[in-house]
Amino acid sequence: MSKGSGVNAEPGPDTPPEMEPSDIHDILRNDRRRLAIKHLKEQPDGRVGVRDLSETIAALETGEDPPPSGKRQSVYVSLHQTHLPKLEAFGIFSYDSEEKEVCLQDRVREVEVYLEVVPRYGLSWGEFYFGLGLLGSLTTVAVLLGVPGVEALGVTVTATVFFVILMLSATYHVYTQQDRILFQRFRNE
């Protein structure tokens, strides 16, 4: 395994020039790899010790803090033997085996496009927009059919209210996603 020295601007010589969507889906289909990526993205410097990472993942998996030692050990071993080497092979992480430290690499941006972390009972942005559109459509139909209580709003007011909600939601969504690839490309130009 290689020594990580922080966030790389260029993928290393051992990493493929571009990841295929099937590679990305293979990486993200495992909960521990997704949790590891999420946890490192939450770190200010993009680094964490393997012990801390395994403890965090074990706590998330069990819902116990601190997690049972057997679970921590199981997570540590699977990270060390399977998940960290795979993430390092794709240039998403670097792993310093002497320091037992994992560092986030720039190639994570290629995966995070596919990684919308949604709380267990939360909504994705796609589901939110679909629900908002459906609610707007049903409310507009109710106004047109003269349903008591909503017919007084009128079509213009109903459409304007849902349009404003849509625009505010989209603005918030774009603002919270400024670290994504699209915005990075604009900053680099």
Side-chain angles (χ1 to χ4, degrees):
M1 301 218 168
S2 68
K3 268 195 160 194
S5 59
V7 177
N8 268 338
E10 298 285 325
D14 295 335
T15 57
E18 188 174 324
M19 285 187 278
E20 297 293 322
S22 61
D23 295 328
I24 294 169
H25 291 292
D26 183 48
I27 290 166
L28 295 178
R29 77 173 179 211
N30 183 277
D31 289 337
R32 288 185 178 166
R33 287 193 289 262
R34 282 194 312 271
L35 290 171
I37 291 169
K38 180 180 184 273
H39 185 66
L40 258 79
K41 285 183 60 56
E42 292 171 350
Q43 303 308 305
D45 60 353
R47 303 176 172 261
V48 72
V50 179
R51 285 243 177 255
D52 291 337
L53 180 61
S54 61
E55 186 155 335
T56 300
I57 291 173
L60 290 168
E61 287 181 358
T62 62
E64 298 177 34
D65 194 17
S69 62
K71 184 65 167 182
R72 274 194 317 256
Q73 184 64 27
S74 168
V75 171
Y76 182 89
V77 169
S78 74
L79 285 174
H80 179 71
Q81 292 180 350
T82 306
H83 305 302
L84 294 178
K86 184 173 204 115
L87 292 167
E88 186 176 43
F90 282 103
I92 295 167
F93 285 179
S94 65
Y95 176 48
D96 184 336
S97 57
E98 293 173 15
E99 297 292 323
K100 300 288 190 223
E101 186 176 72
V102 182
C103 298
L104 199 59
Q105 301 294 300
D106 280 346
R107 294 227 42 206
V108 74
R109 292 184 184 129
E110 293 179 43
V111 232
E112 71 183 352
V113 172
Y114 296 86
L115 183 65
E116 182 177 352
V117 180
V118 178
R120 172 170 269 165
Y121 299 108
L123 290 174
S124 70
W125 280 106
E127 293 166 331
F128 172 78
Y129 289 126
F130 176 78
L132 185 61
L134 183 63
L135 182 62
S137 298
L138 292 174
T139 305
T140 303
V141 168
V143 168
L144 291 172
L145 293 175
V147 174
V150 289
E151 73 175 318
L153 294 175
V155 174
T156 305
V157 171
T158 304
T160 302
V161 166
F162 279 101
F163 179 73
V164 168
I165 292 171
L166 175 68
M167 290 308 296
L168 290 173
S169 301
T171 301
Y172 175 77
H173 185 185
V174 168
Y175 179 75
T176 60
Q177 304 297 313
Q178 287 184 10
D179 62 337
R180 301 293 182 164
I181 291 174
L182 176 65
F183 291 100
Q184 293 298 325
R185 289 185 181 154
F186 285 131
R187 287 184 198 134
N188 293 335
E189 290 178 357

